[in-house]
Amino acid sequence: MNTKHKPLFIVMSAPSGCGKSTLIDMILQEYHDISYSISCTTRAPRGEEENGVDYHFLDKARFEELIREDAFIEYAEVHGNYYGTLKAPIREVLEEGHSMILDIDVQGAQKVRDYVRSLPNNDPLKIGYVDIFILPPSMEELRERLVKRGTDAPATIEKRLDNAEGEIARQGEYMYRVTNDDLAVCYKRLCDLIDAVSGRM
Ligand code: 5GP
């Protein structure tokens, strides 16, 4: 395998229930030179969540200071808390020749894309940028998966399906779309895509 490949800045989005977290975990286990981007948030840690692992947990004053310093590639307010992605760790990882993967919704992805577009053509973040949308095989299948998962009340499932429709309608904004009809097949497609785009072949 060619060891001198292009460091990637990978953005992945998918409606809830499409297996995105599982696929990202599989990628991280296989590709040791790909790091996961840890978001910052002002919400309190839940359960076993660890600072610097699940999120960087910050207080509101510190988060707002970082906003003023233009430290975020994107940020949003969700249910009264801030969430954001720092620029610096992405830059550091790419400068080391490694890749970074971001798990973000379509609105966040739009902000990241706008930021990347504003960069000069020779910027490593622009050179390595790739965004991927994971699709369910069908809405019926997605509904079945959410029901089987058993974590959501029927009303929540309907809300997730509504959101999914809105997100799927924006799939055309992504450079690549991969359908998760079968986890192993979808994973293989993602690996082939990463290998091809980074020139690992
Ligand atoms: P939770 O509090 O359940 O971990 O996340 C709440 C919401 O915040 C989720 O929809 C999640 O996708 C979103 N979120 C997490 N990190 C980020 C981030 O860095 N940027 C943005 N825009 N949203 C995020």
Side-chain angles (χ1 to χ4, degrees), residues 39-41 43 46 49 55 74-76 78-79 83-85 103-105 108 111:
S39 299
C40 296
T41 183
R43 81 150 164 78
R46 287 195 294 243
E49 283 182 337
Y55 281 107
E74 66 79 39
Y75 71 93
V78 186
H79 311 307
Y83 292 82
T85 310
D103 170 355
I104 204 162
D105 68 358
K111 290 185 196 165

Side-chain angles (χ1 to χ4, degrees), residues 34-187:
I34 302 184
S35 303
Y36 180 71
S37 166
I38 301 161
S39 299
C40 296
T41 183
T42 56
R43 81 150 164 78
R46 287 195 294 243
E48 305 274 283
E49 283 182 337
E50 272 181 64
N51 189 29
V53 177
D54 301 284
Y55 281 107
H56 298 294
F57 294 100
L58 308 176
D59 63 27
K60 200 170 173 213
R62 177 65 186 138
F63 200 104
E64 287 176 343
E65 192 176 57
L66 288 167
I67 294 175
R68 283 194 297 275
E69 289 171 7
D70 197 24
F72 292 107
I73 195 164
E74 66 79 39
Y75 71 93
E77 215 175 330
V78 186
H79 311 307
N81 286 305
Y82 283 125
Y83 292 82
T85 310
L86 288 171
K87 292 175 186 171
I90 303 172
R91 228 165 246 299
E92 282 161 23
V93 164
L94 267 77
E95 270 160 20
E96 282 169 14
H98 295 166
S99 299
M100 187 70 121
I101 191 162
L102 232 82
D103 170 355
I104 204 162
D105 68 358
V106 286
Q107 275 152 32
Q110 174 68 60
K111 290 185 196 165
V112 175
R113 208 176 284 125
D114 289 345
Y115 172 74
V116 169
R117 284 204 184 112
S118 76
L119 296 171
N121 286 340
N122 63 354
D123 192 295
L125 267 68
K126 193 165 190 167
I127 295 170
Y129 185 76
V130 49
D131 52 26
I132 308 168
F133 191 85
I134 308 292
L135 282 157
S138 65
M139 287 308 285
E140 293 73 41
E141 182 97 5
L142 184 60
R143 179 188 296 274
E144 250 174 60
R145 285 188 198 172
L146 290 172
V147 171
K148 248 191 232 159
R149 194 162 80 172
T151 50
D152 299 315
T156 311
I157 291 180
E158 291 314 311
K159 194 161 174 270
R160 287 197 194 280
L161 287 169
D162 256 12
N163 286 343
E165 259 172 343
E167 286 172 341
I168 291 168
R170 295 183 64 178
Q171 58 171 292
E173 295 171 19
Y174 290 74
M175 295 160 86
Y176 300 97
R177 291 167 289 281
V178 182
T179 302
N180 187 7
D181 35 12
D182 174 275
L183 187 67
V185 175
C186 179
Y187 177 61

